[in-house]
Amino acid sequence: MLNPTLAQRDPAAASRLLLTLLAVALLWPGLGLSELDLGVLFDGSNADTMGTFLAGFWPPEHGGEFLALLWQATLETLAIATAGMALALAVAIPCALLATRALSISALSRGGRPAWWAQALRWPVRGLLIVLRSIPEIVWALLFVRAVGLGPTAGVLAIAITYAGMLGKVYAEIFESVDPLPARALLGAGASRLQAFFYGVLPQATAEMLSYTVYRWECAIRASVVMGFVGAGGLGQQMDLSMRMFAGGEVASMLLTFLLLVLLADLLSRVLRWRFA
Amino acid sequence: MKVLSRLLIPAALLAAVIAAFAFLQLEASALLSREGLGQMADYASGFLAPDLSPAHLRAIGHGALETLAMSAIGTLLAALLGLLLALPAAGRFGMLLQAASRLLLNALRAIPELVWAALMVLAAGLGPNAGTLALALHTAGVLGRLFAEALENTPPAPGEALRLSGSGRVAAFCYGTLPMLWPQLVAYTLYRWENNIRMASVLGFVGAGGLGQMLYMSLSLFQEAQASTVILAMLLMVLAVDSLSGWARQRWVRG
């Protein structure tokens, strides 16, 4: 291989070229379907409108009245995330208890594998959790906006439903991942399932559950801002309004507030996790 | 300190939850009254009979293809832009460019896809083009950062050996660094593509094409039956992508 005449050409060039051609052939119809056109961005009138819009970004709007509105919207976003998480927990914990295999009595005599009928009884709950979390939260938000009207209620319900699905699944898995022997000993000695859960499973699972819950709360804040764009209240709804009015300064301050909020939530969640975990 | 964490933090959390409910003044009584529940049931019952007529299914098929195309092209553009920004962000062209490109990557990443989509609809008009650009911009921020980290962790020896034996900078990068980087780049890009498929299906809510736009339209026109089919299609797509990526990961990553 040290012979320079041999290394003149890339030996793998042909196969790479073929792979690239294949990828291009597969993606070619995609170009048509996605109507990709970068030229639109620099097209005369569009570029002018965008230019004035972006030029309005500096300075960010900071009038007293606007700041009061911004403060209200920020509080609303935080409240939506917190209230949604509280409702989600109220749904997720019972569902997780119903769905987990860790508290199965029929599994006691079978080395940890529940009987088939016991598994079949758990499936409806698992299926419900799958459906709840597989539909994106913003779709739920859109549906609830049509059902209960514009405003934070739709956001709270959407977060509650989606996050109940996620938390329920993860909690059930956490219960199954801890050491099963304490719970089995309790169940075998005649304790009720709830007693076995509180004294056999929960002490081992608390740290992980808390850390995941706090992480999800952080996600809920981001989601509640995004859901505002379909009318579910909070910062997002204000941002949508300002964008439609091409008020660049207002959009800039709101984006800055959003970034600050996400940073603070990240910080707080790190502190809480460090405290509990 | 122990008292603090045992009592004070739970009490503060409880207070925060109560304050949140108080602040929002949720009209739970109106929502849970007989009338409110009846209205909700009425609304929900419209979704129980999905519209499965061939014409609508064909429209959904087109919407799903559009969603897939948006996510694929958006991710591809993002990978190219990300790699372009990752090179300076990994410190290859000096400190100044490194700081600037990192700032740019952070800004691209911090703004959610849907906000980008709303901005792009203003800049480029309604339709899938706006969605593709929005996905490309946000994902470029995410991938650029991941690529830069991968680039920093790649052993520099092969590239340096090529440079020392007289090859150009581009050739040294292509034949010394890229082959070791390549598997990671592909893995990250595929992972983001998976995310973007899910995201592309909802970007339409702000007018950026795909299945989301169909859902938004049919809900605005109070066509619950049509909307319900679109939701089913979204659900199927998410589940299919999940199981496909799970299967692929087990087959190729842990295999």
Side-chain angles (χ1 to χ4, degrees), chain A residues 57 60-62 66-67 69-71 73-74 225 229 234-243 245 247-262, chain B residues 111 115:
Chain A
F57 268 47
E61 175 74 40
H62 52 272
F66 176 74
L67 282 188
L69 187 75
L70 192 61
W71 176 241
T74 312
V225 172
F229 275 83
L235 210 50
Q237 200 169 356
Q238 291 298 334
M239 217 189 283
D240 192 34
L241 284 177
S242 302
M243 270 189 200
M245 294 188 299
E250 292 183 11
V251 175
S253 345
M254 279 190 233
L255 280 177
L256 284 178
T257 318
F258 168 67
L259 295 185
L260 209 66
L261 198 63
V262 171
Chain B
I111 299 177
V115 180

Side-chain angles (χ1 to χ4, degrees), chain B residues 37-61:
Chain B
L37 283 179
Q39 265 178 3
M40 288 276 263
D42 258 7
Y43 179 66
S45 66
F47 289 92
L48 289 181
D51 175 8
L52 294 174
S53 64
H56 188 53
L57 284 184
R58 210 165 318 143
I60 285 187

Side-chain angles (χ1 to χ4, degrees), chain A residues 155-204:
Chain A
V156 171
L157 290 176
I159 287 191
I161 284 193
T162 324
Y163 285 41
M166 293 182 192
L167 290 174
K169 178 208 174 207
V170 172
Y171 285 172
E173 277 171 5
I174 291 177
F175 298 157
E176 280 163 23
S177 73
V178 301
D179 181 8
L181 293 180
R184 276 194 218 159
L186 284 169
L187 283 174
S192 76
R193 283 168 202 252
L194 270 186
Q195 280 170 333
F197 169 69
F198 278 120
Y199 295 101
V201 176
L202 195 59
Q204 306 179 64

Side-chain angles (χ1 to χ4, degrees), chain B:
Chain B
M1 203 60 195
K2 210 150 190 162
V3 180
L4 192 81
S5 66
R6 289 235 151 179
L7 291 175
L8 223 60
I9 294 183
L13 289 179
L14 198 66
V17 170
I18 293 173
F21 277 104
F23 180 84
L24 291 174
Q25 298 171 330
L26 298 181
E27 286 154 23
S29 53
L31 206 63
L32 295 177
S33 70
R34 185 173 293 263
E35 203 179 327
L37 283 179
Q39 265 178 3
M40 288 276 263
D42 258 7
Y43 179 66
S45 66
F47 289 92
L48 289 181
D51 175 8
L52 294 174
S53 64
H56 188 53
L57 284 184
R58 210 165 318 143
I60 285 187
H62 186 262
L65 276 182
E66 203 172 275
T67 304
L68 276 178
M70 274 163 63
S71 63
I73 301 286
T75 314
L76 190 67
L77 279 181
L80 293 177
L81 189 61
L83 192 59
L84 215 62
L85 286 171
L87 285 174
R92 296 222 159 196
F93 304 109
M95 291 285 281
L96 195 69
L97 274 176
Q98 180 175 22
S101 56
R102 288 208 166 179
L103 190 70
L104 181 61
L105 286 177
N106 280 336
L108 286 174
R109 196 181 61 224
I111 299 177
E113 292 98 330
L114 205 85
V115 180
W116 274 124
L119 282 170
M120 283 300 124
V121 166
L122 293 181
L126 292 169
N129 184 26
T132 313
L133 292 176
L135 284 178
L137 285 170
H138 177 82
T139 314
V142 178
L143 285 182
R145 187 195 136 134
L146 290 172
F147 287 179
E149 273 168 15
L151 204 56
E152 279 167 10
N153 293 332
T154 314
E160 273 167 20
L162 283 176
R163 290 274 289 147
L164 287 177
S165 58
S167 81
R169 289 182 74 123
V170 177
F173 177 75
C174 287
Y175 291 101
T177 314
L178 205 54
M180 310 179 78
L181 205 59
W182 193 243
Q184 279 187 63
L185 299 193
V186 174
Y188 284 141
T189 310
L190 285 180
Y191 157 72
R192 281 316 295 190
W193 184 29
E194 186 194 327
N195 273 20
N196 280 347
I197 294 179
R198 240 165 285 168
M199 209 55 223
S201 63
V202 298
L203 283 185
F205 291 172
V206 291
L211 281 178
Q213 201 162 354
M214 285 182 73
L215 180 59
Y216 196 83
M217 295 286 183
S218 34
L219 279 175
S220 302
L221 298 171
F222 298 101
Q223 298 171 330
E224 274 92 11
Q226 275 85 338
S228 144
T229 330
V230 181
I231 295 177
L232 275 180
M234 280 183 182
L235 197 62
L236 273 181
M237 203 144 103
V238 169
L239 292 179
V241 168
D242 269 0
S243 47
L244 200 67
S245 82
W247 172 77
R249 217 157 281 172
Q250 268 190 344
R251 175 95 169 63
W252 280 298
V253 180
R254 291 203 193 111

